Amino acid sequence: MSRPAYFFFIVLVVGLWPVSANGGLFGPSHTKDRTFRIRADLLTYDDMTKTYRGRGNTSIVSGEEALYADAVDFNQETKDAKAWGHVRFYSGKDWLTGTRLEFNLREQTGVVYSGTLFIEKNHFYVRGNEIRKTGRASYYVKGHGSFTSCDGDSPAWEVTGKDLKVTLEGYGTVKHAALRAKSIPVLYVPYLVFPAKTKRQTGFLVPLILYSNMNGTEFIQPFFWAINQSSDATFSEHYMAHRGWKHGIEYRYALSKGTKGTAMYDFLYDAQIDDGSMPTGEGGYHYEGFREDSVDRMNRKRWWFRMKADWDLASAFKAKLDLDVVSDQDYLREFNTTYSGYEYTDAYFTKEFGRELDDETDTVRLNQFNVNRTWDRFSLNMGLKWYDNVVVRKDHLDDTTQQSLPAVTFSGAKQQIGETSWYFDLDSSFYHYWRDVGTRGYTADVSPRLYYPMTLYGCLDFEPSLGVRETLWQVEAYGPSVDGKEDQLEARELFDFKADLSTEIARVFDVGWKTVDKVRHAIRPQVVYSYLPRVEQTDLPDFVAAVSETNLVSYSVTSTLTARRVPGADPEEAAQLEADAWEAWASDTPGEGGDAAPDETTFVPQYTYHEFCRMTLSQSYNILAARRVPPSGEKRKPFSDVSARLELIPFYNHDVKLVANAAWSPYDGEYHYDVIADLALKDRRGDWVSATYRYVKDDSSDLLAKVFVNVVPTFSVYWEQEHNFKDSKVLRSILGVKYAPQCWSFYVQYTHDRAVNEREYMFVISLHGLGKYDLGRYRPGYNEKWYSKG
């Protein structure tokens, strides 16, 4: 048997034996004192042996357990049952059939001959000439046995062997194991050990085998270590024929819902990297995909460390940590798939922590630690931010990247001052800007703003506001090419004034639609005046932001359409609302005088509102530009472009969305516009289509379309295409076909990435109940993209 075939067979069975240790035929021993109801066409009782004998349509029922057979002998004292003739034993939704059964209904042990065991949880069958339940959670199939998840007497696939032993939440073994497709042997292994676990326990996870011209044959084997109930670790060994071994470790802990963390580290001594020269492949070919300048910056030691963690601290403080440090700028692009790749890591962090990684192409990567506290109207944030410049660090260059060590902000939301008509908000910050090479220093900034909203003539909303900003800074050290005074406190004071005048005209229309009964149309004109005087700010260090003199009038008109949705009009939504009401009621401990269970009058919520259309027209008039004398031959241009923005979300579930922006110049009459349109539709069969169109005038025009169709229940097709209309090019095409009968599925996908001239074929087979196996990925595109005669 070839090594790849042997590994393939291991993939099919390792880690995923689908049984449940709770309830059903796999449950623990039942209470000894139980009531058994016996019925039969002819029922007799032997007082000497304390045995009931049933003949013809005999049944013994106790709770969720029931035994049916043509004939049954049942001992009242020992609870031993012997049955023959069309034997069927049910325990919940699990069942056991055979020609003859010897079973102790109290101890749940016994044997069935020519039997079939069905496990409902994962739709799994075990068949054998003699199936024994030898203990509380152990089974033994003497002689020939098999298991499968396929219905019928001739399963599409099954694993057969001899002396099959299974201990639930432990391990199983089988001798002379063979994978069969429609009774035809496909793979064979003389002795197979597999985990029979459903709970979180230490053991090997599903391995993965692939092939690519870049890495050669690959084999990945993870090992899971359940340290305790609140932490675990996963170790992985990734073998690549062209590169060597990549070692990985992932550690996770979860002390509570808000206190958890995950750290991952991978290391590779890359045999494909030859320091100072281009990496070579088979047959004297060179990899054109590597840039020579990047190869010069790389050596064989390649690694990636990343971590995210959350903590719930005392006094309602919360802390967050994000770390992302990689050896070189090409690592994440080369290792972006599989267990420890960039795509897997980014998806995991986004799901578990709600925070994404920087893009895989970013060479400056954010590392930060933050502690925050939020009150009703105020918030405090304290943190450290470090931007790791991968290229600079790798090349040992002067690092001028600006870091915030630390960064502290304290802000207050807009709020009323006592019982007066005045309001205020507050923004304040303190930063220490540090860099290895360059100007370093401190800044402190305080910016309160005072508001006095009022109503004029009963229809106009007028809100003047005055802001004051004090900025202090001190240069700790200047860069090598900058002269200035160090360790001297400097200050800048400024104020700004704003006046906001607006009103709203609205009308409500009774539309009487199925899910919407009313639509509100509102028109809001608005004029805002902004003034900030000129401030002397020469010789500012580069870490202090300059402010611009402002004397501006902005005016706009916004039109909105808002629908009032009838609650529960959509059947699916109504069912979900009722389920949510029951869940909320069940989560409260009922007591004397507690809430009654929900009924058709209690789970209906209030109306919901959905703004499905918003359109804005805006322009501004620059008073400074109007007063300023233009250069000779030029005209004053105080007016900005007239801007228009349309946001259209016609459906409540946001499956269809259109965002369009346009601008018109009052001086040259030119139009500038961009459009973003998203469409997603799905039917009850599971078919769906999505499209995203982006257009920027004189710049880009791209469409990404995806279609999934269930042709028949067992056959589906997936298609995806990305098209660049500006250059009249198809950038990428994907075509996938899936065949999925009852207990297995086969998926084949072809991808052609024309942007890099890469083709990929992927084949995936999945045996339901045993997991899926990636048969391999053949990438002929590498022959075109990566190799050229050298």
Side-chain angles (χ1 to χ4, degrees), residues 577-587 597-599 603:
L577 293 173
E578 183 175 6
D580 293 342
W582 275 100
E583 182 179 356
W585 177 79
S587 63
D599 56 23
F603 69 81

Side-chain angles (χ1 to χ4, degrees), residues 29 61 85 133 277 307 368 405 571 692:
S29 299
V61 179
K133 189 173 189 296
S277 65
M307 177 179 180
Q368 62 179 341
L405 306 172
T692 300

Side-chain angles (χ1 to χ4, degrees), residues 279-517:
T280 57
E282 297 175 342
Y285 288 93
H286 290 300
Y287 294 102
E288 294 180 345
F290 283 97
R291 302 187 306 275
E292 290 198 36
D293 58 341
S294 69
V295 172
D296 292 338
R297 293 192 289 266
M298 296 167 59
N299 56 40
R300 298 190 178 202
K301 296 180 180 179
R302 310 183 70 187
W303 47 268
W304 183 27
F305 178 79
R306 60 276 192 207
M307 177 179 180
K308 290 189 184 295
D310 294 342
W311 294 277
D312 283 340
L313 306 178
S315 303
F317 278 86
K318 296 180 181 295
K320 296 181 180 181
L321 175 67
D322 298 321
L323 298 178
D324 183 2
V325 187
V326 66
S327 61
D328 58 83
Q329 69 273 26
D330 294 313
Y331 182 97
L332 300 182
R333 293 187 293 107
E334 293 178 31
F335 302 103
N336 63 341
T337 58
T338 70
Y339 289 120
S340 60
Y342 173 84
E343 293 179 358
Y344 164 82
T345 305
D346 185 51
Y348 172 80
F349 281 152
T350 302
K351 178 182 178 181
E352 294 297 325
F353 298 93
R355 305 191 297 276
E356 299 177 346
L357 292 170
D358 291 331
D359 189 79
E360 59 186 318
T361 60
D362 289 343
T363 58
V364 179
R365 310 192 70 79
L366 174 63
N367 297 265
Q368 62 179 341
F369 175 69
N370 175 267
V371 178
N372 67 83
R373 170 73 158 88
T374 301
W375 295 267
D376 291 339
R377 299 179 181 178
F378 295 93
S379 62
L380 171 66
N381 279 274
M382 303 173 289
L384 306 171
K385 287 189 176 182
W386 179 273
Y387 294 90
D388 179 44
N389 192 317
V390 180
V391 176
V392 168
R393 170 170 50 80
K394 188 65 179 176
D395 286 359
H396 305 288
L397 303 175
D398 291 338
D399 193 352
T400 60
T401 308
Q402 183 172 279
Q403 319 292 353
S404 300
L405 306 172
V408 182
T409 62
F410 181 76
S411 58
K414 185 178 178 181
Q415 53 196 280
Q416 189 174 6
I417 303 176
E419 300 298 328
T420 69
S421 299
W422 294 86
Y423 289 77
F424 86 99
D425 63 19
L426 172 68
D427 289 314
S428 61
S429 64
F430 172 81
Y431 288 89
H432 174 218
Y433 293 106
W434 186 94
R435 49 166 62 100
D436 187 42
V437 176
T439 304
R440 304 193 296 262
Y442 306 85
T443 65
D445 197 281
V446 180
S447 178
R449 176 170 289 275
L450 195 63
Y451 303 83
Y452 189 78
M454 65 186 77
T455 300
L456 304 178
Y457 307 108
C459 61
L460 297 176
D461 296 323
F462 180 60
E463 184 181 72
S465 64
L466 179 66
V468 179
R469 182 176 180 183
E470 177 74 19
T471 304
L472 304 175
W473 69 88
Q474 179 176 307
V475 177
E476 182 181 17
Y478 279 102
S481 60
V482 181
D483 295 327
K485 297 180 180 180
E486 299 179 355
D487 298 325
Q488 180 173 327
L489 188 65
E490 304 285 346
R492 179 185 65 192
E493 299 83 17
L494 57 87
F495 76 91
D496 73 288
F497 173 78
K498 286 186 179 180
D500 189 328
L501 179 66
S502 64
T503 189
E504 185 176 83
I505 305 169
R507 181 180 176 182
V508 177
F509 298 89
D510 292 315
V511 294
W513 299 337
K514 180 179 179 181
T515 58
V516 175
D517 63 343

Side-chain angles (χ1 to χ4, degrees), residues 191 264 465 498 595 624:
Y191 189 77
M264 304 178 186
S465 64
K498 286 186 179 180
D595 294 338
L624 293 176

Side-chain angles (χ1 to χ4, degrees), residues 31-246:
T31 305
K32 294 184 178 180
D33 298 328
R34 294 193 302 166
T35 301
F36 295 89
R37 299 191 304 273
I38 306 175
R39 294 181 179 178
D41 293 342
L42 176 62
L43 181 64
T44 61
Y45 178 72
D46 188 339
D47 187 61
M48 293 290 294
T49 60
K50 307 297 183 183
T51 301
Y52 287 94
R53 292 185 173 89
R55 299 296 182 265
N57 298 316
T58 306
S59 66
I60 302 178
V61 179
S62 178
E64 291 187 348
E65 294 183 354
L67 172 63
Y68 301 92
D70 293 342
V72 176
D73 289 346
F74 176 66
N75 189 287
Q76 182 182 9
E77 291 185 349
T78 64
K79 304 299 187 287
D80 287 327
K82 295 181 179 180
W84 58 94
H86 302 95
V87 178
R88 293 155 292 152
F89 179 67
Y90 298 91
S91 182
K93 295 183 179 180
D94 300 337
W95 51 260
L96 183 66
T97 66
T99 58
R100 185 162 60 94
L101 173 74
E102 297 175 5
F103 207 74
N104 186 282
L105 297 179
R106 181 166 58 196
E107 299 298 331
Q108 294 285 294
T109 58
V111 58
V112 62
Y113 298 94
S114 300
T116 299
L117 172 66
F118 176 72
I119 305 163
E120 188 275 338
K121 182 178 180 181
N122 288 303
H123 202 88
F124 222 69
Y125 298 88
V126 177
R127 295 182 173 91
N129 295 328
E130 185 177 318
I131 303 176
R132 292 183 175 270
K133 189 173 189 296
T134 57
R136 179 172 176 266
S138 58
Y139 298 84
Y140 170 60
V141 180
K142 185 179 180 180
H144 180 79
S146 67
F147 57 86
T148 183
S149 62
C150 301
D151 294 332
D153 295 330
S154 178
W157 70 266
E158 64 178 342
V159 175
T160 63
K162 292 185 177 181
D163 296 335
L164 172 64
K165 297 179 181 179
V166 180
T167 299
L168 302 186
E169 300 306 333
Y171 289 88
T173 62
V174 60
K175 299 177 182 178
H176 302 292
L179 172 67
R180 298 175 180 270
K182 281 293 184 181
S183 74
I184 300 175
V186 177
L187 297 171
Y188 168 81
V189 62
Y191 189 77
L192 179 66
V193 179
F194 56 91
K197 304 175 181 180
T198 58
K199 296 181 180 178
R200 175 178 165 272
Q201 292 189 21
T202 299
F204 287 98
L205 302 180
V206 179
L208 180 65
I209 303 171
L210 354 142
Y211 176 80
S212 70
N213 289 58
M214 184 74 172
N215 300 328
T217 301
E218 300 181 59
F219 174 72
I220 306 173
Q221 177 59 70
F223 178 81
F224 179 78
W225 178 25
I227 301 173
N228 51 45
Q229 291 185 347
S230 59
S231 64
D232 57 50
T234 303
F235 304 89
S236 63
E237 291 295 329
H238 183 175
Y239 172 74
M240 294 169 282
H242 293 174
R243 292 183 181 271
W245 289 91
K246 182 159 73 78

Side-chain angles (χ1 to χ4, degrees), residues 495-498 529-534 549-552 624:
F495 76 91
D496 73 288
F497 173 78
K498 286 186 179 180
Y529 173 69
S530 304
Y531 174 75
L532 192 156
R534 183 179 180 183
E549 181 183 5
T550 303
N551 197 350
L552 189 72
L624 293 176

